[in-house]
Every structure is written in C-alpha cells, then in structure tokens.
C-alpha cells in the first residue's frame, strides 16, 4: 500500500511516499480503506521530534474515515462496506478522571493513518455519522474529541455560561466554538488575525477581539465563566486574569512555552479552578459522535490535500495558515 512515511532524516525532510506492507488482520480487528485522514498539530510534533535519522520508518497520522475492507473472524460490530471513523485514542475505554496507564495515541509509537489502509481492533472503530462526508468525518476524531472533553466533561459548560477561546483557528477551537454555540452558550474568541476574527464571527462567535489587546479592558462588560486555554505562557495569565472569580481555566495544549508563573495568592483568593485535559475516552468519543449527529454539526473544513501534496500539507499546518481542519485524501 502507498503511505506517507517519516524516516531517514529529521523534521519535514524525513517525509516521503513509500510502498509499505498492508497491515495484517487479526481475529478482532477491522481493516479500513482510508478515504480521508485529518491532520493535527500532533502530526507535526511527531515528525519534528523524531531526532534520530536512524529511527525506523513510521506512518504518522491519528485520524481516519473510510470503508471497512475486511473484518477478523471474531468481529461482531462491523461488516465489509460499513462507513466508519477510527478512534485516535488507544487503551482508554471508560470515561475517567485521567487516562489509564498505557494510553497511547495513534501514529506513535506504532503506525498511524496516513496510508491507504489502517487496521485496529473493533472497539477503536465507530460508525461514521450519516450527515457527514468522508472529508468531514476524516477530520473529526482527535480534535473534536479533545474539544468535547475539554468543554463538556472537564469544563462542564452550561447553556447560560460564557466561554473564552483564545487563539481561534485551530481544529480543536473551531469545534469548541461550534459545540458551545450548539448548547446555547455565549462564545468570545481571540486571534492575532483580523481575518480569523471575522471567520469566527461568521461561525457564530458572539464577540471577537485581538489576542494582543488588553483583555481586561476589552472584556470589562463580560463575565467569563470558562477559558479553554491552549496557547500556554503567552496568554495563560491573561486567561487567568479575565475569568470570573470561581471560574475555570481548562488547558489542553501549549503552542508557546510550556512553563508559566502565576500569583498563587491571587489564585486561591479568587477561588479559581485549573483543569488539565487531553483527548478523551472511547465513551466520550461515542458521546461526541452522538452530539455531533443530534446537533447536525459539520467540521470547519479548511482544506483537503491530495496524498501526493503531503509536503505542502505539513508546511500549511506548520505555518498555521488554516482556519479549521486540514485533511489528506488517500
């Protein structure tokens, strides 16, 4: 099978197309003929952090939607021809406070989804929402699951609350915007890009401001209940400074520096809640798919690249040109 592979060199230079052996099929596994695979910043991190040129060939990618090509002898959930999406999380079945030991994400250390075929156990596959195209379903799993757990499970967002999404434009945050509006919450976004601010308003955001502005001044009339923070050091204290006393900051990423300093006295006097969040369980993956179906939510699909244009796709992701999700058509 044809696959996008990382080997031989570090960083993006190590990416190339290669013929790889099609994955074998075990008794409880499903073999998926991949139509579209979504791209995530994790994919960029995987290929840029593999420092040794001697590392074995790896197929990156965590998201996939396609058609069941074959099923193992003990598979009961699916038949050949079913349209499915793959759960990018491995080893986290029940909803819990944190992932269990051994939890991994598809695409490292084992092969991922940027190939013509992807194989996994049937409990890591779900039926594709009928209202979505393959392109939409292919960019759904990782980012939508991350947004769902951060907002709904960890943040416990309610319809009468206001949520702030700093740095709008990523796949996760465009999902968070759509999910929050779907339950009736008020949504404020920030971006350094005026164009992305305008796009967010068109998607339903109630207010858009510059990430570099004085949030305390800009949002003086707002009561922010929850901040979904994914930028890190550059905005963390601004996020903590704008959330209401007793409010919550949920963090799932750090696109700037990881380490932050806070005034701990101000924090405990303000009765703030700081929650970490990563991906989600298989239970939450199914909840998210049901939510997306019931609310008829469509992913914000920025661009789908042909498989042969993988280098352009990775550079597009690296340069944060996207508003919403990027996909690879395989």
């Amino acid at each position: 099978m044809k696959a996008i592979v990382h080997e031989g060199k570090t960083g993006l230079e190590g990416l190339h197309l290669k013929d790889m052996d099609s994955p074998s099929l075990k008794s409880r596994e499903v073999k998926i003929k991949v139509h579209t695979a979504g791209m995530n910043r994790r994919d960029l991190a995987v290929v840029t952090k593999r420092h040794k040129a001697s590392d074995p060939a790896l197929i990156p990618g965590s998201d996939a939607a396609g058609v069941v090509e074959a099923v193992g002898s003990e598979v009961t959930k699916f038949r050949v021809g079913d349209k499915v999406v793959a759960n990018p999380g491995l080893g986290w079945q029940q909803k819990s406070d944190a992932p269990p030991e051994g939890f991994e994400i598809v695409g490292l250390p084992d092969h991922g989804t940027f190939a013509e075929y992807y194989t996994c156990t049937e409990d890591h596959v779900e039926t594709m929402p009928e209202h979505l195209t393959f392109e939409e379903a292919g960019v759904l799993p990782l980012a939508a699951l991350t947004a769902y757990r951060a907002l709904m499970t960890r943040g416990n967002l309610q319809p009468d609350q206001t949520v702030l999404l700093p740095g709008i434009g990523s796949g996760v945050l465009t999902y968070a915007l759509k999910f929050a509006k779907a339950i009736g919450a008020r949504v404020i976004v920030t971006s350094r890009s005026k164009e992305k601010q305008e796009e967010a308003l068109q998607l339903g955001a109630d207010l858009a401001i510059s990430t570099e502005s004085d949030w305390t001044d800009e949002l003086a009339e707002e009561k922010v209940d929850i901040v979904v923070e994914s930028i890190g050091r550059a905005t963390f204290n601004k996020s903590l400074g704008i959330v209401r006393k007793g409010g919550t900051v949920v963090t799932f990423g750090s696109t700037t520096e990881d380490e932050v300093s806070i005034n701990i006295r101000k924090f405990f006097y303000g009765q703030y809640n700081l929650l970490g969040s990563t991906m989600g369980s298989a239970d939450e993956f199914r909840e998210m798919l049901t939510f997306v179906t019931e609310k008829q939510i469509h992913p914000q699909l920025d661009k789908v690249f042909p498989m042969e244009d993988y280098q352009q796709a990775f550079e597009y992701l690296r340069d944060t040109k996207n508003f919403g999700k990027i996909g690879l058509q395989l």
Side-chain angles (χ1 to χ4, degrees):
M1 67 175 182
K2 188 182 294 184
I4 298 169
V5 173
H6 188 258
E7 66 174 342
K9 296 181 180 180
T10 59
L12 299 191
E13 292 184 355
L15 290 165
H16 57 275
L17 287 180
K18 184 177 181 178
D19 284 327
M20 299 284 283
D21 291 337
S22 185
S24 58
L25 190 67
K26 297 178 182 178
S27 61
R28 295 193 63 248
E29 290 185 334
V30 175
K31 184 177 182 180
I32 303 168
K33 183 173 177 59
V34 180
H35 184 288
T36 302
M39 297 189 72
N40 299 282
R41 294 204 72 84
R42 167 180 163 79
D43 305 321
L44 193 63
V46 165
V47 302
T48 54
K49 291 180 180 179
R50 297 183 87 222
H51 297 303
K52 297 178 181 178
S54 60
D55 284 344
L58 176 74
I59 302 171
S62 302
D63 288 347
V67 175
V68 174
E69 177 88 0
V71 297
S73 59
E74 296 181 42
V75 170
T76 59
K77 283 175 60 178
F78 301 101
R79 297 178 179 178
V80 172
D82 286 349
K83 296 179 180 180
V84 295
V85 290
N87 180 351
L90 300 175
W92 187 3
Q93 288 297 319
Q94 284 76 41
K95 187 189 295 188
S96 56
D97 290 339
E101 291 295 324
F103 170 69
E104 292 179 352
I105 301 173
V106 173
L108 185 76
D110 298 324
H111 287 318
T113 59
F114 292 172
E116 292 179 301
Y117 295 97
Y118 171 69
T119 297
C120 62
T121 57
E122 66 173 332
D123 56 356
H124 290 98
V125 182
E126 300 297 335
T127 300
M128 191 176 111
E130 291 184 359
H131 72 291
L132 299 182
T133 65
F134 279 118
E135 289 80 7
E136 291 173 324
V139 303
L140 186 71
L142 189 148
L145 176 58
T146 301
Y148 185 86
R149 178 171 169 86
L151 267 188
M152 306 301 186
T153 304
R154 301 293 281 154
N156 192 27
L157 181 67
Q158 300 300 307
D160 61 347
Q161 291 184 321
T162 295
V163 60
L164 174 65
L165 306 176
I168 193 68
S170 71
V172 176
L173 292 187
T174 52
Y175 283 123
L177 168 56
K178 291 194 174 195
F179 292 174
K181 292 309 299 179
I183 68 168
R186 179 171 173 80
V187 179
I188 302 170
V189 303
T190 85
S191 176
R192 291 179 298 174
S193 163
K194 191 66 177 176
E195 291 76 15
K196 289 184 178 181
Q197 292 177 40
E198 291 298 327
E199 288 181 280
L201 291 170
Q202 291 175 19
L203 281 191
D206 297 280
L207 180 63
I209 63 173
S210 171
T211 303
E212 298 167 324
S213 67
D214 182 341
W215 296 0
T216 304
D217 181 57
E218 292 266 19
L219 304 177
E221 303 300 317
E222 298 287 345
K223 185 187 77 169
V224 177
D225 300 287
I226 299 173
V227 182
V228 178
E229 171 60 59
S230 62
I231 298 176
R233 184 174 180 178
T235 58
F236 188 84
N237 274 292
K238 293 177 76 169
S239 294
L240 196 56
I242 198 61
V243 69
R244 66 168 175 82
K245 289 185 177 181
T248 299
V249 176
V250 182
T251 175
F252 70 85
S254 177
T255 54
T256 59
E257 295 179 58
D258 292 348
E259 294 188 9
V260 299
S261 297
I262 65 171
N263 184 321
I264 195 67
R265 187 173 299 276
K266 182 180 178 181
F267 183 86
F268 64 68
Y269 271 124
Q271 308 287 304
Y272 299 110
N273 306 294
L274 176 59
L275 303 173
S277 189
T278 301
M279 293 276 288
S281 63
D283 283 345
E284 287 158 309
F285 189 64
R286 287 185 285 270
E287 285 180 15
M288 179 273 292
L289 292 174
T290 299
F291 181 80
V292 165
T293 300
E294 289 178 348
K295 302 295 185 181
Q296 292 290 286
I297 294 171
H298 291 265
Q300 186 64 22
L301 188 57
D302 181 279
K303 195 168 185 178
V304 177
F305 290 84
M307 188 181 195
E308 293 74 16
D309 292 344
Y310 63 91
Q311 192 74 34
Q312 294 177 36
F314 270 88
E315 291 171 358
Y316 192 80
L317 180 64
R318 177 198 64 193
D319 298 338
T320 320
K321 293 182 178 179
N322 59 300
F323 183 85
K325 292 295 299 178
I326 305 166
L328 288 165
Q329 194 167 57
L330 300 161

